[in-house]
């Protein structure tokens, strides 16, 4: 039992005889029980922070699908994003050895890579007319880019509603392209 003692009784003066006062006791058991009940209640009803994750479609691991022929994709449907250091992106439209447009250095955000993605999506849609033959984006991260850059570009893909994109290994020619733009230091 929890108890609160408030001090001793009796007088301190000589010559006067007084009756000794009883110690006043306050029982704290009910308050302690209530405190533990409240703590338990709030622990059980509070939702903990939920982990933040993004949806990422991964290819199937079926052996049968490996035997399917590789489809040729028109180079005017392909846009490649090279993630460099300093939170910068170099993009080109078409093939790396003979790009249709680019390479161009841009940043993140609505006036950067998002604007380019939306423009290219409109261009491809107007040319082919079929949403199934839309823009294909290849994302290639250099050794100097950060994990945050990859997450940011995946967010840009979701915002721009790009239906088809892939994360691919960067080639030495594309590393040279980043170095030419000043986004790859050795």
């Amino acid at each position: 039992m929890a108890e609160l003692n408030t001090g001793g009784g009796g007088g301190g003066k000589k010559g006067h005889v007084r009756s000794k006062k009883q110690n006043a006791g306050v029982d704290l058991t009910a308050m302690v029980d209530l405190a533990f009940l409240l703590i338990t209640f709030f622990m059980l009803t509070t939702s903990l922070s939920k982990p933040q994750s993004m949806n990422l479609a991964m290819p199937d691991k079926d052996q049968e699908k490996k035997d399917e022929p590789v489809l040729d994709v028109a180079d005017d449907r392909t846009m490649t994003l090279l993630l460099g250091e300093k939170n910068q992106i170099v993009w080109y439209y078409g093939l790396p050895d003979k790009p249709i447009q680019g390479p161009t250095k841009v940043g993140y955000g609505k006036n950067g890579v998002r604007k380019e993605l939306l423009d290219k999506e409109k261009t491809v849609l107007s040319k082919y007319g079929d949403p199934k033959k839309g823009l294909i984006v290849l994302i290639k991260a250099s050794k100097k880019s950060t994990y945050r850059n990859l997450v940011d570009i995946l967010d840009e893909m979701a915002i721009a509603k790009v239906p088809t994109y892939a994360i691919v290994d960067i080639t030495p020619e594309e590393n040279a392209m980043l170095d030419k733009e000043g986004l790859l230091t050795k």
Side-chain angles (χ1 to χ4, degrees), residues 25-92:
V26 177
D27 188 15
L28 299 176
T29 305
M31 191 172 11
V32 171
D33 288 345
L34 181 64
F36 280 114
L37 284 172
L38 287 172
I39 289 172
T40 305
F41 172 76
F42 286 115
M43 282 176 52
L44 294 176
T45 58
T46 302
S47 63
L48 300 175
S49 63
K50 294 182 171 87
Q52 296 178 349
S53 63
M54 78 174 49
N55 294 329
L56 185 62
M58 299 298 287
D60 292 332
K61 293 185 179 181
D62 294 338
Q63 294 296 331
E64 298 170 9
K65 298 208 178 206
K66 289 184 180 178
D67 297 333
E68 291 180 7
V70 177
L71 301 174
D72 287 332
V73 177
D75 58 348
D76 61 347
R77 287 181 54 204
T78 306
M79 181 178 185
T80 305
L81 303 175
L82 305 175
L83 307 181
E85 63 182 359
K86 303 175 188 170
N87 297 327
Q88 293 290 316
I89 301 170
V90 173
W91 67 268
Y92 63 88

